[in-house]
Structures are given as structure tokens and as C-alpha cells.
Amino acid sequence: RFDRRRIEPMLVHLRGDDAAARNLRASGVSAVSLGKGKFDPTTWAALRRTAQRFRPHVIHVHGYGGANFCRPLARLLGSKLVLHEHAAYPKVPPYQVPLDLAMAGMTDAGIAVSRTTKDFMVRRRFLSPSKIRVVFNGAPLDEFKPESRERAAAVRTRYGIPPDAPLLGTVGRLD
């Protein structure tokens, strides 16, 4: 959903190849899986080689590993770094606190999926509130169609839900 005349998206995945990378490739997006572990000392060199080949203007990261490796990489390349946080975790790994303190200034912008997540980014990732924008998760509603009445009745029967019981569905994470 990018204007390909202006933006060329690319996924560089620290871990091994996965369904997300394969799906992106199938839709025409470049995806590179580095196959690196969480504390693999060769990660920095592999990322640097990949980034120098593609010369990104913006590096959009999420997760501790991506942030830790890519903030200094963005500075080296002259790229902008966007840190995207998807949750407000109750605990930050102890090794992460000094890294976030040291590299907070290397983050050009932050994206939080909720106000609570923005507060987490300020309090626990040490980013300036003025750098963070809240962008709620969205879904292309035109791609989702209600099930037929017959299919809905079959699902209710399968799970023992009375035909007149109200139902509410949601997608989220519980960690």
C-alpha cells in the first residue's frame, strides 16, 4: 500500500526466513532474512553490508534488537531512524535500559500504537514525547466481509453458542 513511485519498502529481518518475509516477497516487496540470533556478534556486520547496498533514507525498526543494531547504523549511513513500539511491556530486559539511555538521541521519531504505549516509550525507552506520534493500528475494512448467515449459524452450532447470544470479536495480544 505504498506509492511505489515515491517509496520502495524493504524488510530486513534479523532472524531466519518466516511467513511474513515470504508473504511480502509474494506481494513484490524485497525481503532479506539475515538468520541471526538475538546476541549474535555478526549481526552488525550483516546489517551494515545490507544497508550499504540499499542505502535507505529511513530505517523503521521495532523490537529491542532492531533498535539496538539500527540506531547507530542509521547515524553511520545518514539515514533517519523511526522506532515503532507495539506494546507497553511491564518489564524491560535489564540489558536494554543502558542501551536505550545511551541511544535515545539516535532516534529521530517514534510511533506508538496507543497513548499507553507512548507513555511507555517516554518512561522506559527514554524518548522525548515531542518525537513520538500515536498511530492507532488500522485495518482495511473494505477487505473484510461478514460471513454468510449460514456460515455464522454453523460456527455458533459448532461452539454451542445460542443463535440469539450477542458476540463480540477482537484481535490482539495477551502478553
Side-chain angles (χ1 to χ4, degrees):
R1 307 229 169 130
F2 294 97
D3 181 347
R4 296 291 178 97
R5 295 167 296 178
R6 297 178 51 229
I7 298 171
E8 182 183 346
M10 176 184 187
L11 169 72
V12 177
H13 184 44
L14 298 180
R15 308 290 183 257
D17 206 37
D18 65 3
R22 290 188 295 275
N23 287 338
L24 285 169
R25 277 190 215 101
S27 69
V29 173
S30 297
V32 175
S33 297
L34 299 177
K36 302 296 179 184
K38 193 179 222 177
F39 299 108
D40 186 331
T42 65
T43 301
W44 166 255
L47 270 171
R48 183 176 176 190
R49 280 191 305 274
T50 302
Q52 285 177 323
R53 199 170 48 225
F54 293 100
R55 305 299 296 181
H57 296 281
V58 177
I59 299 176
H60 182 145
V61 300
H62 73 92
Y64 298 126
N68 294 342
F69 288 112
C70 291
R71 286 188 276 196
L73 180 63
R75 287 296 165 265
L76 177 72
L77 297 172
S79 303
K80 298 294 184 185
L81 190 290
V82 177
L83 176 61
H84 194 152
E85 194 67 67
H86 298 270
Y89 299 103
K91 293 182 181 178
V92 174
Y95 67 82
Q96 190 60 40
V97 174
L99 293 169
D100 277 342
L101 275 168
M103 294 191 286
M106 297 179 187
T107 303
D108 296 292
I111 298 173
V113 299
S114 68
R115 288 178 192 87
T116 302
T117 304
K118 179 178 179 176
D119 292 343
F120 168 80
M121 293 174 78
V122 171
R123 287 183 293 103
R124 306 299 297 273
R125 304 292 310 261
F126 311 108
L127 298 181
S128 168
S130 65
K131 288 186 174 183
I132 305 168
R133 298 291 176 261
V134 175
V135 179
F136 298 105
N137 286 329
L141 297 179
D142 57 318
E143 292 182 15
F144 298 92
K145 307 288 184 228
E147 291 288 344
S148 69
R149 289 187 185 277
E150 295 78 21
R151 171 85 173 113
V155 169
R156 283 177 177 272
T157 300
R158 178 177 175 190
Y159 292 105
I161 302 169
D164 58 345
L167 291 178
L168 174 67
T170 185
V171 177
R173 54 191 285 177
L174 300 175
D175 64 345

